[in-house]
Amino acid sequence: MPSLKDLRNRIASVKATQKITKAMQMVAAAKLRRAQNAAEAARPYAERMEQVLASLAASIGPSSTAPGLLTGRGTDAVHLLIVCTAERGLCGGFNSSIARLARDHATALLAQGKTVKMICVGKKGYDILRRQFEKEIIEFIDLRGVRQIGFENADAIGRKILAMYDAGDYDVCTLFYSRFRSVIQQIPTALRLVPMSIPAGSGAEAAPQAVYEYEPDEEQILATLLPRNVSIQVLRALLENAASEQGARMSAMDSASRNAGEMIKKQTMQYNRSRQAMITKELIEIISGAEAL
């Protein structure tokens, strides 16, 4: 049975931990609002970009002159996985859920005899995936020095993806990130970047029945917009990840603070019982000694 001193030390240690978790919860709540506003502001542009590209793709139909970023190479032998996670932990299952989705996808591709290459954006995802896919990881992008995610960060990743496609290094590219829905819910998402994934219900059948004349033609417009769409979708993923990370950290630290409070109550009760038993024992010894005299 632990002594009173040991119990006091445990209670003091848990109280110190509770102060840290409460502070981290408050910091995450302050950062969440800014990150959530940035993620919500990026959604309309990215979604509208997808709709415009889907409409253009539906208008030209299957064509031999369509850009490769839209139609692909006609094969899917080599897959490039862009896995976006956080740079830091203490955010619940946020990082592990994204890594699990990417790991399952990579395992299924390898079982089919496909070649898998990975680019990890974020240290935590890299630490998780390199245990099983160290040979498949070709690059690790560290964003720990970036205070606020901007388009220049996403554009650098987007240019790298396009350069690898032009060099013939892969056939299909898939982006993994966590879509922010609320503080308690973040949805791991897989988005195919190359060839572009046409959203359901955003093609010509969902558009108004109108005839458009494009100048220049649709192929040239797609050749300009498709590379930019890659960077836009990467930016959207990074911003969604930033909001999801803070929401997950806020929930995790709130749970940790409540668990610490319950632990303090239990240990305080155990301390009081031990102290009461010790006092009672001393009183019994004093009374017994007095009676013996």
Side-chain angles (χ1 to χ4, degrees):
M1 184 175 180
S3 64
L4 293 180
K5 183 178 180 181
D6 292 336
L7 289 174
R8 284 197 300 269
N9 291 338
R10 289 182 187 178
I11 294 172
S13 176
V14 176
K15 285 183 177 180
T17 302
Q18 188 181 41
K19 290 180 180 179
I20 296 174
T21 56
K22 284 185 177 180
M24 292 186 66
Q25 179 186 356
M26 295 175 63
V27 171
K31 291 183 177 180
L32 174 62
R33 176 167 305 210
R34 182 174 59 187
Q36 182 178 355
N37 291 338
E40 291 176 348
R43 287 175 186 172
Y45 185 84
E47 292 172 356
R48 187 58 180 168
M49 175 76 81
E50 287 182 341
Q51 294 173 4
V52 170
L53 291 174
S55 178
L56 288 168
S59 65
I60 64 174
S63 173
S64 59
T65 60
L69 292 176
L70 179 64
T71 60
R73 303 183 188 278
T75 180
D76 61 346
V78 183
H79 287 252
L80 175 65
L81 310 185
I82 312 295
V83 185
C84 299
T85 56
E87 300 290 346
R88 298 172 179 84
L90 295 178
C91 48
F94 167 72
N95 294 308
S96 59
S97 61
I98 301 174
R100 187 184 307 113
L101 180 63
R103 183 176 62 243
D104 294 343
H105 189 76
T107 302
L109 291 174
L110 291 173
Q112 298 172 13
K114 310 293 184 182
T115 301
V116 175
K117 299 179 180 180
M118 289 186 181
I119 295 179
C120 294
V121 183
K123 184 177 184 300
K124 288 301 177 181
Y126 172 72
D127 291 340
I128 296 172
L129 292 173
R130 71 175 177 177
R131 303 168 189 167
Q132 185 176 354
F133 302 102
E134 186 173 4
K135 295 181 180 179
E136 285 76 16
I137 297 176
I138 60 175
E139 188 171 352
F140 162 52
I141 299 176
D142 189 355
L143 298 179
R144 279 178 290 182
V146 179
R147 294 181 59 87
Q148 187 172 358
I149 298 295
F151 180 74
E152 62 276 5
N153 308 114
D155 192 43
I157 300 173
R159 288 197 303 269
K160 188 180 300 292
I161 295 172
L162 295 174
M164 292 180 63
Y165 184 76
D166 293 337
D169 293 337
Y170 67 89
D171 302 316
V172 179
C173 177
T174 307
L175 178 66
F176 294 87
Y177 66 98
S178 183
R179 182 162 56 88
F180 178 80
R181 175 170 289 182
S182 65
V183 175
I184 60 174
Q185 187 177 18
Q186 301 84 33
I187 305 173
T189 304
L191 175 65
R192 194 182 67 195
L193 291 180
V194 181
M196 177 187 169
S197 176
I198 305 298
S202 60
E205 68 278 1
Q209 299 298 323
V211 178
Y212 295 95
E213 293 184 0
Y214 294 96
E215 180 63 33
D217 57 18
E218 292 91 333
E219 286 83 356
Q220 296 184 38
I221 297 176
L222 284 172
T224 301
L225 290 184
L226 283 170
R228 184 173 183 83
N229 179 64
V230 172
S231 298
I232 292 298
Q233 298 304 328
V234 172
L235 174 63
R236 177 186 181 184
L238 294 178
L239 293 177
E240 293 279 352
N241 257 14
S244 298
E245 177 190 356
Q246 300 303 330
R249 180 171 289 114
M250 182 178 171
S251 298
M253 292 300 103
D254 178 61
S255 298
S257 298
R258 286 189 280 106
N259 292 338
E262 293 176 1
M263 188 177 296
I264 290 171
K265 289 181 181 179
K266 292 180 180 179
Q267 291 185 351
T268 301
M269 185 178 298
Q270 183 180 0
Y271 172 80
N272 291 335
R273 286 177 178 175
S274 298
R275 183 169 177 269
Q276 184 178 4
M278 187 174 295
I279 294 173
T280 303
K281 181 181 178 181
E282 291 176 355
L283 288 175
I284 291 175
E285 290 177 352
I286 293 173
I287 294 173
S288 300
E291 290 179 353
L293 294 176

